[in-house]
Amino acid sequence: MDLKIPKHVAIIMDGNGRWAKEKGKIRLEGHRQGAINLEKIIEHSVKIGVKYLTVYAFSTENWKRPEKEVNGLMELFAKYLDTKKKSLKKQGIRLLVTGTKENISEKLLKKIEETEKYLEDCEKMIFNIAFNYGGRKEIIDAINKIIKDKKETVDEKEFARYLYRPEIPDPELVIRTSGEFRISNFLLWEIAYSEFYVTDVYWPDFTPEEYDKAILAFNKRDRRYGGLNVK
Ligand code: FPP
């Protein structure tokens, strides 16, 4: 069977905390294992021909978590950028970080900028990390940019150009791990016509085989974009 591979896959990496709890470990250990798992999923994305992979690593709502967990996630992300950039370069993967800069330390912002720059020539796949990201915030930020530009009206196409990453096409497939049927403020504008796939598997246990199941399910969907699929 000739499989259709979604050009852009977006993943809500949920269940790190539950994974850790079931193993009697602290929550941060779940996030660490989640970061390790990401490697396999990035590799598999390139292997099957995905061109854009977006992952939800930290939401604008995640600041409400205990300080220790928030700091741990910040450190994990900084360490991730430091330790993975060479391997991303080797694989030809360009990294983008998408979200608001608000509340992020100068040091981390500088690291993000440097890492993006280091990988800017890579062309095999764009790996987009949604970090300090909120869908509503992205829309409000776009509206404020439009007001600043003194536009009286905009259409959908023009509006989309004011979002954080206008160069990235909308995701065709959104995957959420650990069984919740929620969108959690993720890519609200961009997912208007995305297919949604939910698996019970916790993110640290989401293997390439589980990923393939999502791709297979995507292939079985009848995508009509609001129209009729008359054959
Ligand atoms: C949701 O699981 C996960 C997060 C809020 C963080 C996701 C972060 C990673 C996978 C870390 C790696 C990413 C990078 C780029 C370094 P949860 O904690 O809400 O799980 P729970 O619902 O079981 O409590």
Side-chain angles (χ1 to χ4, degrees), residues 23-39:
K23 295 199 156 35
K25 297 175 193 274
I26 56 162
R27 292 179 56 81
L28 212 47
E29 204 45 58
H31 297 316
R32 277 193 207 111
Q33 199 55 42
I36 292 170
N37 193 49
L38 194 49
E39 291 312 289

Side-chain angles (χ1 to χ4, degrees), residues 27-212:
R27 292 179 56 81
L28 212 47
E29 204 45 58
H31 297 316
R32 277 193 207 111
Q33 199 55 42
I36 292 170
N37 193 49
L38 194 49
E39 291 312 289
K40 284 185 272 168
I41 297 308
I42 294 170
E43 254 176 51
H44 199 62
S45 299
V46 174
K47 188 174 154 204
I48 63 178
V50 169
K51 291 293 167 203
Y52 303 86
L53 173 69
T54 298
V55 297
Y56 205 6
F58 191 86
S59 77
T60 44
E61 288 70 39
N62 286 153
W63 292 103
K64 291 186 238 156
R65 294 194 176 197
E67 200 181 332
K68 219 170 161 183
E69 186 173 348
V70 169
N71 290 341
L73 281 165
M74 292 292 148
E75 275 168 32
L76 185 62
F77 181 52
K79 203 168 133 211
Y80 183 87
L81 296 176
D82 280 340
T83 55
K84 300 297 170 197
K85 64 180 187 187
K86 284 212 172 104
S87 122
L88 290 171
K89 184 119 177 168
K90 233 192 204 159
Q91 296 175 80
I93 299 171
R94 181 167 181 193
L95 178 115
L96 295 175
V97 177
T98 298
T100 171
K101 292 182 175 155
E102 288 168 26
N103 305 316
I104 303 283
S105 73
E106 279 304 319
K107 196 172 162 210
L108 183 52
L109 285 177
K110 196 160 168 249
K111 198 186 285 293
I112 291 170
E113 205 178 298
E114 282 168 2
T115 314
E116 284 181 330
K117 184 114 192 79
Y118 177 76
L119 295 164
E120 72 181 354
D121 295 333
C122 298
E123 286 180 340
K124 208 154 195 173
M125 183 179 82
I126 287 187
F127 173 45
N128 180 33
I129 304 182
F131 190 82
N132 201 19
Y133 175 87
R136 287 185 174 177
K137 172 83 177 138
E138 181 181 25
I139 290 170
I140 291 293
D141 284 353
I143 292 170
N144 283 320
K145 280 186 253 169
I146 291 166
I147 293 170
K148 226 175 164 182
D149 276 358
K150 298 193 167 35
K151 300 251 177 199
E152 277 197 5
T153 58
V154 287
D155 59 16
E156 286 184 16
K157 224 173 156 181
E158 219 177 338
F159 182 80
R161 279 202 286 270
Y162 282 90
L163 295 170
Y164 294 148
R165 294 293 178 192
E167 70 274 33
I168 300 184
D170 292 345
E172 288 171 88
L173 174 63
V174 177
I175 298 172
R176 182 167 188 145
T177 57
S178 93
E180 238 84 56
F181 285 75
R182 272 197 298 276
I183 211 63
S184 302
N185 206 11
F186 188 42
L187 305 175
L188 294 183
W189 176 274
E190 297 86 342
I191 57 160
Y193 287 103
S194 306
E195 293 296 329
F196 201 45
Y197 177 87
V198 178
T199 170
D200 284 338
V201 172
Y202 297 146
W203 171 252
D205 292 330
F206 185 76
T207 55
E209 290 71 35
E210 294 295 335
Y211 194 173
D212 284 343

